[in-house]
Amino acid sequence: MLARLVLRGAGCFAPPRRRYHRRMALQLFGIPVSRGMAIGRAVILASARLDVAHYFVDPGTEEAEIERLRAARRAVRAELDTLKADLPADAPAEMAAFIDVHKMLLDDRQMALDTITWIRQRRYNAEWALTAQLDVISRNFEEMDDTYLRERIADVEQVVERVLRALRGSAGLARSASGNGDLVLIAHDIAPADMLQFKTGVFRGFVTDVGGKTSHTAIVARSLDIPAVVGARSAGSLIRQDDLVIIDGDSGLLIVDPSPVILEDYRLRQQESQLARERLKRLKFTPARTLNAEPVELLANIEQPEDCAPALEAGAMGVGLFRTEFLFMNRGDHLPGEDEQYAAYSRVMQAMQGKPVTIRTIDIGSDKPLDAEDYRDGEFTHLNPALGLRAIRYSLSDPAMFRMQLRALLRAAVLGPLKVLIPMVAHASEIRQTLAELNKARAELDAKGVSYGPVELGAMIEVPGAALALPLFLRHFDFLSVGTNDLVQYTLAIDRADESVSNLYDPLHPAVLNLLAQIITQTRAAAAWKGRPVEVSVCGEMAGDPSMTRLLLGMGLRSFSMHPSQILAVKQEVLRADPDKLTPLVQTVLSSFEPEELQAALAALG
Ligand code: PEP
Ligand code: MG
């Protein structure tokens, strides 16, 4: 029987009960993107299955969840029976045989038992249990020598897909905040939009095979404030479902099956880093001022309205960057309309209680496709996505969609101080068109008698061409925000999402530092000819890196926007810094071009 052959041939499955012989501890390295230590059992997820819901069912509801799974199986069995009965008389005989194989796979006792074990022992929801088991089976298939049998995994996948579809029709049970033991997620790659679904906190850490330090997946992982390592290359294939894994988010080290001594050492480190975080919380209400009493603005970067709560909790003085593209992702044909967008922006305005809020128009494209499906299929790799139809270019290519967003933003501006930020703008023509669309959006609201508020308009300076033609942007915009993630990518011609060149992605390259210093100096000087100050902030990952705070302060920066989790660590640096002393030291940094010279100049900053 093919089904028996397929499943038995695959060897037994490996649900939570451990079946492996003991391996030596395995060490792997990747790029650290989010600090701290995580220790947990590995959950291996194929990126194609990341859109499946992952949550723990409430303790005591395991049997009901198993019944949900059984009901879905029964529905699929009925579906397959109907399919077979409806086969036309002249259908090839293989079609009926294949339906029989799928029915046998569906009824396979061992597979059913192993899937149930995930639910009973780990309290996984049914969808998660199914995909976890599918992953175990897939691994076993991959190891088969027989090509024919190896390819039969497609049949198992199709059956699982059918059961997943049937589960979609039945409401899930109550979700629990935590499961039985800590888990870490291991995946080849995760689309930024998929990453967002893990904000609910099922996993204690993340590892991906690909990605760079400022890829958007890494940025979202960092915003979850749990240890993460990207670019770990073969981690996804070397680590197995349920392996015990240590993720060292400070160094990028992964330890699989650690010895008891190593495990104990990391548990201690985990406690220490937790204590250090607790200590930082004391700074929440301390005003952010340098030693010479200059105020420094510390703002939050957010991806969704729910992020306002942690931002306020960390003492953010406002939102410096709301990446609105996340509202638009994974929505298929149902992109958010004006009212839905207005509701999301209003929630942010209300949550921030009158503090300034900067909302960026969508930055779709590059490694942030509208649909994570495209990302998973690798379809976002157009010829050169980072240089393609992205950000404001995308918005201007669909003016109706752009104006809809502008109208929603103008309406939300009634609720408090709202600034609109335009990403990746580089050309005078883009400035002209943006201003024209904004005026049209106002006129459309006027025509409908809808009220709206005043907005300041800002440009992201993240393309070197814009940095070098700054007077153009200073003339037309009310404020600037420097996107160092892209500024580094475009200045050094390094794809920020590509781990194979991540060693060359260097925010401390002299070209980047000089461009950045020039932007800050020119913007501050613009007050003289513009008749009013033009604010400049940095909202790229550099702003949230405490090791860069003194450097940026010495360049004259007084406004930083970052993940809420970084605010207190950066504040601690601000409180200890004396810009009068840092300014001349930064001049030495900026005139250092040889690596050793530059290192010494940076070290002198303290
Ligand atoms: C940046 O480029 O620095 C930035 C903040 O924008 P994003 O990371 O979303 O491209
Ligand atoms: Mg950017």
Side-chain angles (χ1 to χ4, degrees), residues 488-505:
V488 175
Q489 152 164 276
Y490 296 127
T491 303
L492 302 179
I494 300 297
D495 185 340
R496 62 193 265 197
D498 185 346
E499 74 284 355
S500 65
V501 284
S502 64
N503 58 323
L504 298 173
Y505 184 94

mmCIF file of all heavy atoms in Angstrom, residues 488-505:
data_model
loop_
_atom_site.group_PDB
_atom_site.id
_atom_site.type_symbol
_atom_site.label_atom_id
_atom_site.label_comp_id
_atom_site.label_asym_id
_atom_site.label_seq_id
_atom_site.Cartn_x
_atom_site.Cartn_y
_atom_site.Cartn_z
ATOM 1 N N VAL A 488 22.647 53.417 4.739
ATOM 2 C CA VAL A 488 23.833 52.548 4.705
ATOM 3 C C VAL A 488 23.739 51.635 3.470
ATOM 4 O O VAL A 488 24.692 51.503 2.704
ATOM 5 C CB VAL A 488 23.924 51.684 5.990
ATOM 6 C CG1 VAL A 488 25.075 50.694 5.896
ATOM 7 C CG2 VAL A 488 24.061 52.561 7.225
ATOM 8 N N GLN A 489 22.556 51.036 3.279
ATOM 9 C CA GLN A 489 22.363 50.105 2.151
ATOM 10 C C GLN A 489 22.696 50.774 0.813
ATOM 11 O O GLN A 489 23.424 50.221 -0.008
ATOM 12 C CB GLN A 489 20.910 49.619 2.155
ATOM 13 C CG GLN A 489 20.342 49.231 0.813
ATOM 14 C CD GLN A 489 19.070 48.408 0.905
ATOM 15 O OE1 GLN A 489 19.125 47.193 1.073
ATOM 16 N NE2 GLN A 489 17.924 49.053 0.782
ATOM 17 N N TYR A 490 22.157 51.988 0.607
ATOM 18 C CA TYR A 490 22.340 52.632 -0.701
ATOM 19 C C TYR A 490 23.702 53.304 -0.842
ATOM 20 O O TYR A 490 24.225 53.412 -1.947
ATOM 21 C CB TYR A 490 21.202 53.636 -0.957
ATOM 22 C CG TYR A 490 19.835 52.966 -1.046
ATOM 23 C CD1 TYR A 490 18.769 53.392 -0.263
ATOM 24 C CD2 TYR A 490 19.627 51.903 -1.920
ATOM 25 C CE1 TYR A 490 17.524 52.782 -0.346
ATOM 26 C CE2 TYR A 490 18.385 51.283 -2.004
ATOM 27 C CZ TYR A 490 17.337 51.722 -1.211
ATOM 28 O OH TYR A 490 16.113 51.107 -1.291
ATOM 29 N N THR A 491 24.285 53.755 0.277
ATOM 30 C CA THR A 491 25.606 54.394 0.171
ATOM 31 C C THR A 491 26.674 53.352 -0.138
ATOM 32 O O THR A 491 27.576 53.591 -0.939
ATOM 33 C CB THR A 491 25.967 55.114 1.502
ATOM 34 O OG1 THR A 491 24.939 56.052 1.780
ATOM 35 C CG2 THR A 491 27.293 55.839 1.398
ATOM 36 N N LEU A 492 26.549 52.179 0.498
ATOM 37 C CA LEU A 492 27.598 51.164 0.333
ATOM 38 C C LEU A 492 27.233 50.095 -0.689
ATOM 39 O O LEU A 492 28.001 49.150 -0.906
ATOM 40 C CB LEU A 492 27.895 50.510 1.692
ATOM 41 C CG LEU A 492 28.327 51.474 2.805
ATOM 42 C CD1 LEU A 492 28.569 50.715 4.099
ATOM 43 C CD2 LEU A 492 29.578 52.244 2.405
ATOM 44 N N ALA A 493 26.048 50.214 -1.297
ATOM 45 C CA ALA A 493 25.584 49.220 -2.274
ATOM 46 C C ALA A 493 25.588 47.813 -1.672
ATOM 47 O O ALA A 493 26.084 46.852 -2.263
ATOM 48 C CB ALA A 493 26.436 49.266 -3.545
ATOM 49 N N ILE A 494 25.046 47.705 -0.446
ATOM 50 C CA ILE A 494 24.940 46.414 0.246
ATOM 51 C C ILE A 494 23.463 46.146 0.512
ATOM 52 O O ILE A 494 22.809 46.920 1.208
ATOM 53 C CB ILE A 494 25.658 46.477 1.626
ATOM 54 C CG1 ILE A 494 27.133 46.798 1.464
ATOM 55 C CG2 ILE A 494 25.456 45.168 2.401
ATOM 56 C CD1 ILE A 494 27.920 45.775 0.716
ATOM 57 N N ASP A 495 22.953 45.036 -0.026
ATOM 58 C CA ASP A 495 21.563 44.676 0.239
ATOM 59 C C ASP A 495 21.418 44.379 1.731
ATOM 60 O O ASP A 495 22.042 43.458 2.254
ATOM 61 C CB ASP A 495 21.213 43.439 -0.602
ATOM 62 C CG ASP A 495 19.755 43.045 -0.484
ATOM 63 O OD1 ASP A 495 19.101 43.459 0.507
ATOM 64 O OD2 ASP A 495 19.273 42.324 -1.369
ATOM 65 N N ARG A 496 20.587 45.183 2.406
ATOM 66 C CA ARG A 496 20.464 45.032 3.869
ATOM 67 C C ARG A 496 19.843 43.712 4.303
ATOM 68 O O ARG A 496 19.936 43.326 5.461
ATOM 69 C CB ARG A 496 19.668 46.212 4.444
ATOM 70 C CG ARG A 496 18.264 46.312 3.921
ATOM 71 C CD ARG A 496 17.636 47.641 4.254
ATOM 72 N NE ARG A 496 16.833 47.596 5.468
ATOM 73 C CZ ARG A 496 15.928 48.510 5.804
ATOM 74 N NH1 ARG A 496 15.745 49.582 5.043
ATOM 75 N NH2 ARG A 496 15.232 48.404 6.895
ATOM 76 N N ALA A 497 19.181 43.019 3.350
ATOM 77 C CA ALA A 497 18.516 41.756 3.708
ATOM 78 C C ALA A 497 19.358 40.533 3.331
ATOM 79 O O ALA A 497 18.928 39.409 3.533
ATOM 80 C CB ALA A 497 17.162 41.680 3.020
ATOM 81 N N ASP A 498 20.550 40.761 2.783
ATOM 82 C CA ASP A 498 21.328 39.640 2.263
ATOM 83 C C ASP A 498 22.474 39.276 3.220
ATOM 84 O O ASP A 498 23.442 40.032 3.363
ATOM 85 C CB ASP A 498 21.883 40.034 0.883
ATOM 86 C CG ASP A 498 22.615 38.895 0.210
ATOM 87 O OD1 ASP A 498 22.925 37.897 0.893
ATOM 88 O OD2 ASP A 498 22.895 39.013 -0.993
ATOM 89 N N GLU A 499 22.336 38.105 3.861
ATOM 90 C CA GLU A 499 23.340 37.738 4.877
ATOM 91 C C GLU A 499 24.712 37.479 4.267
ATOM 92 O O GLU A 499 25.723 37.552 4.954
ATOM 93 C CB GLU A 499 22.877 36.527 5.697
ATOM 94 C CG GLU A 499 22.924 35.178 5.026
ATOM 95 C CD GLU A 499 21.798 34.970 4.027
ATOM 96 O OE1 GLU A 499 20.912 35.839 3.908
ATOM 97 O OE2 GLU A 499 21.817 33.941 3.344
ATOM 98 N N SER A 500 24.765 37.213 2.938
ATOM 99 C CA SER A 500 26.065 36.887 2.360
ATOM 100 C C SER A 500 26.973 38.110 2.249
ATOM 101 O O SER A 500 28.175 37.982 2.057
ATOM 102 C CB SER A 500 25.894 36.213 0.990
ATOM 103 O OG SER A 500 25.324 37.123 0.097
ATOM 104 N N VAL A 501 26.385 39.314 2.369
ATOM 105 C CA VAL A 501 27.235 40.519 2.341
ATOM 106 C C VAL A 501 27.079 41.310 3.648
ATOM 107 O O VAL A 501 27.477 42.473 3.723
ATOM 108 C CB VAL A 501 26.913 41.433 1.122
ATOM 109 C CG1 VAL A 501 27.501 40.854 -0.144
ATOM 110 C CG2 VAL A 501 25.420 41.660 0.972
ATOM 111 N N SER A 502 26.523 40.654 4.651
ATOM 112 C CA SER A 502 26.229 41.392 5.890
ATOM 113 C C SER A 502 27.500 41.885 6.580
ATOM 114 O O SER A 502 27.466 42.865 7.311
ATOM 115 C CB SER A 502 25.395 40.547 6.841
ATOM 116 O OG SER A 502 26.149 39.437 7.237
ATOM 117 N N ASN A 503 28.624 41.230 6.312
ATOM 118 C CA ASN A 503 29.876 41.691 6.930
ATOM 119 C C ASN A 503 30.291 43.062 6.371
ATOM 120 O O ASN A 503 31.081 43.776 6.982
ATOM 121 C CB ASN A 503 30.996 40.672 6.699
ATOM 122 C CG ASN A 503 31.230 40.402 5.221
ATOM 123 O OD1 ASN A 503 30.282 40.357 4.437
ATOM 124 N ND2 ASN A 503 32.462 40.246 4.822
ATOM 125 N N LEU A 504 29.738 43.422 5.216
ATOM 126 C CA LEU A 504 30.106 44.710 4.608
ATOM 127 C C LEU A 504 29.082 45.807 4.917
ATOM 128 O O LEU A 504 29.265 46.964 4.543
ATOM 129 C CB LEU A 504 30.236 44.557 3.082
ATOM 130 C CG LEU A 504 31.327 43.578 2.629
ATOM 131 C CD1 LEU A 504 31.259 43.359 1.120
ATOM 132 C CD2 LEU A 504 32.698 44.117 3.014
ATOM 133 N N TYR A 505 28.002 45.436 5.562
ATOM 134 C CA TYR A 505 26.971 46.420 5.925
ATOM 135 C C TYR A 505 27.478 47.164 7.168
ATOM 136 O O TYR A 505 27.405 46.670 8.281
ATOM 137 C CB TYR A 505 25.648 45.701 6.216
ATOM 138 C CG TYR A 505 24.515 46.660 6.503
ATOM 139 C CD1 TYR A 505 23.658 47.082 5.493
ATOM 140 C CD2 TYR A 505 24.327 47.171 7.778
ATOM 141 C CE1 TYR A 505 22.638 47.974 5.760
ATOM 142 C CE2 TYR A 505 23.316 48.069 8.051
ATOM 143 C CZ TYR A 505 22.473 48.462 7.036
ATOM 144 O OH TYR A 505 21.465 49.361 7.296
#
